Amino acid sequence: MSQSVNATAPHVGRMEAVGDRWRALPKWQRSLGFVAFVAFLYYLPLLGIPGLTWFRTDYIQGGSSWAGTLFTCAIYVLVAIGLNVVIGLAGLLDLGYIGFFAIGAYGVGLFGSVNSPVVKAIQERFDLPATWAVGWAICLFIAITLAMVSGVLLGWPTLRLRGDYLAIVTLGFGEIIRIVAKNVTTVTNGNAGISAIPGPEGPPSATNTVFGLIDLKPWYWLAITFVLIMVFFVRRLEHSRVGRAWLAVREDEDAAAVMGVNPFKFKLWAFAIGAALGGVAGVLFASRQAFIDPTKFDPMTSILFVAMVVVGGSGNMMGVSLGAFLLVYLPERFRGVADYRFLAFGVAMVLVMILRPQGLIPSRRRARELKDRAAEAEEAPAHV
């Protein structure tokens, strides 16, 4: 035990040192660094710097579109941020997060039309222009609402469970959503799926000048904008009273209840907010693909969502974002060994759990826990 903990301690110390140096910089330098990083994110689809073009997926034989790969990475980062609220902040194991992702996708697929009675009613009620952009924005709002309501409906009877029991129930929820989408053919069109799902410019068409099917850079820029907005929102929430209550519940639910925190209330908040972010990711995914069917929302994808959080570093938004990026980008970049992706994925997970059990970029709290544990191990008797 002592050797295992000590093996991780140097890594934790180095990561903490880098974080401390960053936080010690003057505010203007940190702001400048953040602006430069955001500018680089928006520049990525145009990446043409000699030497760095090696990282592009369209420079290899049979490689996929570089902007398309970046868009998928942005979608999964958005998913990881939402799931991090549930797992990393509130400490709830959700194996059925794909259900919220599917609800968002089907929300825009079913209501995504300026001729939809619901969309038309909202436009008339608030005197909004009858354009595709406004209709898509309304569909986004509807999808977020449906996802949040489903999160509350799932959490209300199940959040009194803990640990493995909660994980099994949430896994069942994800499967229920997929099976309902498959069998309720009068609404979802079953296995045939829903096609011609509109984006901000309407359904895919040769007349689309921005959000088309060939040039995917605008789709990536739209997705990364949503990611940055959600990062700001979740960061503010994390440092609010709600975020502190989540951390208290995650550390010790019984102690939090004794101190006046209502665990059930704040866990329900975590489920609802995490579900909303999953719904946003589902809307972007469906609008870009312009077609969805139940096979796109299988349990393996849900497990992949959890893996992104665990590998990146539960509780740290930068960490889970890095985990999401790597798990999407690396199989595309090394497409030649894609047939062995599940073997490589399993080996990578085992190595991460052995060498970096706290994740690639752990949260400061998690890093301190491992540091304290290492100190305790050093003070323990030699026979332990």
Side-chain angles (χ1 to χ4, degrees):
M1 174 181 174
S2 176
Q3 292 178 352
S4 175
V5 175
N6 286 332
T8 63
H11 300 288
V12 176
R14 285 194 290 269
M15 293 301 298
E16 261 197 323
V18 173
D20 291 340
R21 290 195 193 97
W22 169 257
R23 286 183 288 273
L25 292 175
K27 185 177 180 180
W28 71 269
Q29 292 184 4
R30 283 182 286 144
S31 300
L32 189 62
F34 177 75
V35 171
F37 177 68
V38 171
F40 178 72
L41 290 179
Y42 279 95
Y43 168 73
L44 270 178
L46 307 172
L47 186 63
I49 301 174
L52 293 183
T53 54
W54 180 87
F55 293 98
R56 293 181 59 129
T57 55
D58 54 355
Y59 272 53
I60 60 176
Q61 185 176 2
S64 58
S65 164
W66 173 231
T69 300
L70 290 175
F71 172 81
T72 305
C73 289
I75 293 297
Y76 276 62
V77 166
L78 194 56
V79 167
I81 292 171
L83 190 55
N84 184 56
V85 172
V86 180
I87 296 179
L89 300 184
L92 305 172
L93 183 55
D94 186 354
L95 298 181
Y97 197 73
I98 191 68
F100 304 124
F101 186 75
I103 288 172
Y106 274 99
V108 70
L110 295 174
F111 297 99
S113 170
V114 290
N115 296 319
S116 167
V118 176
V119 173
K120 289 183 68 175
I122 294 176
Q123 288 174 326
E124 293 174 359
R125 173 65 179 82
F126 295 98
D127 195 23
L128 300 173
T131 63
W132 280 112
V134 173
W136 187 80
I138 293 173
C139 290
L140 177 64
F141 173 78
I142 293 174
I144 292 174
T145 302
L146 290 175
M148 290 190 73
V149 170
S150 66
V152 172
L153 293 178
L154 171 64
W156 191 269
T158 62
L159 283 177
R160 292 175 177 84
L161 302 173
R162 299 187 186 183
D164 299 339
Y165 301 101
L166 178 61
I168 292 171
V169 171
T170 55
L171 181 62
F173 166 76
E175 274 295 274
I176 288 172
I177 297 298
R178 185 183 66 84
I179 292 171
V180 168
K182 178 180 178 180
N183 293 315
V184 185
T185 56
T186 55
V187 178
T188 64
N189 207 24
N191 285 329
I194 301 175
S195 58
I197 297 175
E201 277 192 300
S205 170
T207 61
N208 291 357
T209 57
V210 180
F211 296 99
L213 294 177
I214 299 177
D215 185 7
L216 302 182
K217 292 191 291 293
W219 284 106
Y220 166 73
W221 288 326
L222 177 66
I224 201 64
T225 300
F226 272 98
V227 168
L228 294 173
I229 292 172
M230 295 306 169
V231 165
F232 174 79
F233 169 74
V234 174
R235 178 68 69 187
R236 294 295 296 247
L237 200 59
E238 183 180 353
H239 294 287
S240 70
R241 178 176 176 270
V242 175
R244 291 191 293 271
W246 283 339
L247 293 179
V249 171
R250 185 190 71 182
E251 295 301 322
D252 193 324
E253 186 173 326
D254 296 326
V258 171
M259 296 302 294
V261 175
N262 186 337
F264 177 77
K265 171 185 173 182
F266 287 101
K267 287 194 293 185
L268 200 60
W269 265 109
F271 251 56
I273 293 171
L277 269 68
V280 172
V283 169
L284 292 170
F285 171 79
S287 297
R288 156 66 186 92
Q289 297 291 331
F291 172 80
I292 54 172
D293 62 35
T295 62
K296 299 184 183 297
F297 310 106
D298 59 294
M300 281 302 301
T301 305
S302 195
I303 301 300
L304 181 64
F305 290 166
V306 177
M308 295 185 304
V309 176
V310 174
V311 170
S314 178
N316 187 313
M317 272 199 294
M318 181 65 72
V320 299
S321 299
L322 176 62
F325 175 80
L326 291 178
L327 291 182
V328 175
Y329 168 75
L330 291 179
E332 289 296 330
R333 179 60 186 82
F334 301 100
R335 182 176 284 269
V337 294
D339 293 339
Y340 303 96
R341 69 176 65 188
F342 290 112
L343 174 61
F345 176 76
V347 171
M349 286 290 291
V350 171
L351 291 176
V352 168
M353 290 301 96
I354 293 175
L355 302 176
R356 298 283 295 175
Q358 71 275 26
L360 297 175
I361 306 179
S363 66
R364 296 174 62 191
R365 181 183 295 270
R366 179 65 173 156
R368 285 196 298 267
E369 289 173 358
L370 289 172
K371 187 176 180 179
D372 293 341
R373 197 176 301 169
E376 292 174 1
E378 290 176 356
E379 295 173 1
H383 68 275
V384 176

